[in-house]
Structure formats: C-alpha cells, structure tokens
C-alpha cells in the first residue's frame, strides 16, 4: 500500500457548491484518501456547509489546500489525470478507473505521486486544463447520460484505488458460526424429539414420523 504522502491527490477545479466539496471529502474518507485540493472554490473557504456535508470526514476537510491557479495545485505531482465524460480535442491517452487506479499505485511504489482533476459541476474541465494532464480518465457510463455528480466520480476512483492498493478486504468478517459436527446435530435431534415426546407434542402419534422429518429438515 502507498504511504499517506504518496496517495493520489484529488483536485476540484472551481467547484461551485460547498456541499459538493463536502460530499467529495466524504467519498475520499470512505476509501482512505486525504489529500483534497481546491482551485478557486466559488463560495470561498473555509466552508461550514462543506464540513457539514462531509459527515464527520473532518480529517479530510482540515487538510484542504486552496489555490488560485490550477498550475500551483499540481505542485509535487508526477502524473495527472483529467476526468471528463466527453471526447476532447486534446490528443491524450484515455483510460478507465480500474486501469488508472492500478497505475497510480504502481507509480506510488516508485515514489511518484498522482493527481486527479475534476471540473466544474456544470461545464467540467476546459481544454486548457485538460492539456495540463498526462492522460484522460473517464468512466464506462451510458453515453446518453454521462454526467456524474462530482462526489460520485470521486468515489468511483477512490474505490478503485483502494482495491488496487490494499485489495478487496472487507471491514469486518462474517459472524456466522461454523456448522456443527454431524454427531452433535444427531444428538440435538434425539434430545429435542425426546423432550417433545415427553411433552405430548406428537399427537396423534401416527404423525410423529412426518413431524420428525419436518423438524430435522428445518434445523438442517
């Protein structure tokens, strides 16, 4: 797994709504990312609305860095993806989130940090901003409805990054007990059936075989 210093940076370019910044921070925190950079947020910073929308992802909100220029926000990054849902005039390689996340982890292993650019809610990134990136990152969305909320797009990349960096480990294990040994199961049948017999449960008695089979099937 990459160290915290080499985790990918999420860069929001001129986000219009503070709530979207907060929900993007929440998505990052869900999958272990903490480096959130903002370029000229329209509603300014800091923002209580963003903090509220982050749903206790304060460790991400507290580390937010704000820049006046995208060029400054890219400082320290060895590789940059520009996210977009439509074809651009800029000639660049296009990759999906799975491939981008795997490459991000590989670069971190070589001490190179990656950044991912996300554009404005209404218009996305412009061509000049895309030109500052190394590759285009897009998602396998329906081309007839390709627009995603910023936080949704951030979450998809963050999820793929976590899978690539630490694997599909779940946060907790199953609590279902192992099946009982066969001899214990048979002993339970015998004990339960004897107790039901003593209580007069099997009435009329000719139905006992059928009822016994039904109880055993249920318990198995």
């Amino acid at each position: 797994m990459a160290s915290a210093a080499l985790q990918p940076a999420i860069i929001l370019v001129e986000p219009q709504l503070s709530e979207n910044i907060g929900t993007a921070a929440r998505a990052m925190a869900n999958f272990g990312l903490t480096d959130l950079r903002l370029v000229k947020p329209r509603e300014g910073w800091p923002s209580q609305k963003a903090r509220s929308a982050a749903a206790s992802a304060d460790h991400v909100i507290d580390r937010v860095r704000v820049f006046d220029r995208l060029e400054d926000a890219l400082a320290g990054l060895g590789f940059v993806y520009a996210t977009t849902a439509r074809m651009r005039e800029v000639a660049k390689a296009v990759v999906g989130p799975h491939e981008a996340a795997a490459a991000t982890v590989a670069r971190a292993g070589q001490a190179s940090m990656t950044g991912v650019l996300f554009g404005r809610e209404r218009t996305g990134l412009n061509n000049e901003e895309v030109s500052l990136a190394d590759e285009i990152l897009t998602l396998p969305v329906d081309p007839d409805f390709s627009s995603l909320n910023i936080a949704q797009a951030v979450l998809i990349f963050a999820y793929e990054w976590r899978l690539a960096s630490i694997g599909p480990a779940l946060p907790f294990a199953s609590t279902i007990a192992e099946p009982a040994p066969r001899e214990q199961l048979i002993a339970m049948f015998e004990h339960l059936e004897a107790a039901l017999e003593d209580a007069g449960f099997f009435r009329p008695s000719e139905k006992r075989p059928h009822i016994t089979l039904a109880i055993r099937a249920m318990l198995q």
Side-chain angles (χ1 to χ4, degrees):
M1 176 178 174
S3 68
L6 291 175
Q7 292 179 0
I10 301 298
I11 304 165
L12 307 186
V13 179
E14 297 185 5
Q16 297 167 269
L17 299 176
S18 295
E19 289 87 350
N20 285 339
I21 298 172
T23 52
R26 178 180 183 178
M28 292 171 61
N30 285 150
F31 297 103
L33 298 180
T34 58
D35 188 351
L36 177 58
R37 308 180 188 188
L38 308 178
V39 179
K40 297 176 66 175
R42 187 178 71 177
E43 295 183 344
W45 195 262
S47 168
Q48 184 55 46
K49 288 191 292 185
R51 186 176 293 276
S52 297
S56 299
D58 294 334
H59 61 295
V60 178
I61 294 294
D62 290 340
R63 292 186 55 180
V64 165
R65 287 181 283 171
V66 181
F67 302 87
D68 291 328
R69 302 190 322 138
L70 174 56
E71 290 83 353
D72 296 331
L74 300 178
L77 303 178
F79 197 93
V80 176
Y81 291 107
T83 62
T84 181
R86 62 184 187 274
M87 187 176 294
R88 299 304 185 108
E89 298 173 2
V90 183
K92 293 186 182 295
V94 179
V95 298
H98 183 78
E99 181 181 351
T104 295
V105 172
R107 280 189 291 271
Q110 300 168 1
S112 178
M113 187 174 176
T114 300
V116 186
L117 305 181
F118 295 86
R120 303 154 189 83
E121 289 89 330
R122 289 186 63 248
T123 59
L125 298 168
N126 60 42
N127 286 337
E128 182 177 348
E129 291 158 350
V130 172
S131 73
L132 297 176
D134 297 285
E135 292 182 356
I136 288 175
L137 168 59
T138 194
L139 304 176
V141 294
D142 186 334
D144 293 330
F145 197 80
S146 59
S147 176
L148 270 74
N149 173 273
I150 291 176
Q152 293 173 326
V154 169
L155 184 141
I156 290 172
F157 173 78
Y159 169 78
E160 290 288 354
W161 173 82
R162 189 166 183 87
L163 283 182
S165 59
I166 68 170
L170 299 177
F172 54 88
S174 172
T175 57
I176 298 176
E178 291 292 324
R182 183 60 48 179
E183 59 272 19
Q184 290 185 9
L185 188 61
I186 292 173
M188 180 188 68
F189 291 157
E190 293 174 346
H191 176 78
L192 176 60
E193 290 159 14
L196 292 174
E197 179 69 37
D198 292 343
F201 179 79
F202 298 115
R203 288 184 295 187
S205 59
E206 59 267 21
K207 289 189 176 182
R208 173 171 179 162
H210 175 74
I211 296 174
T212 298
L213 291 176
I215 290 174
R216 292 186 180 188
M218 177 182 67
L219 293 175
Q220 284 178 307

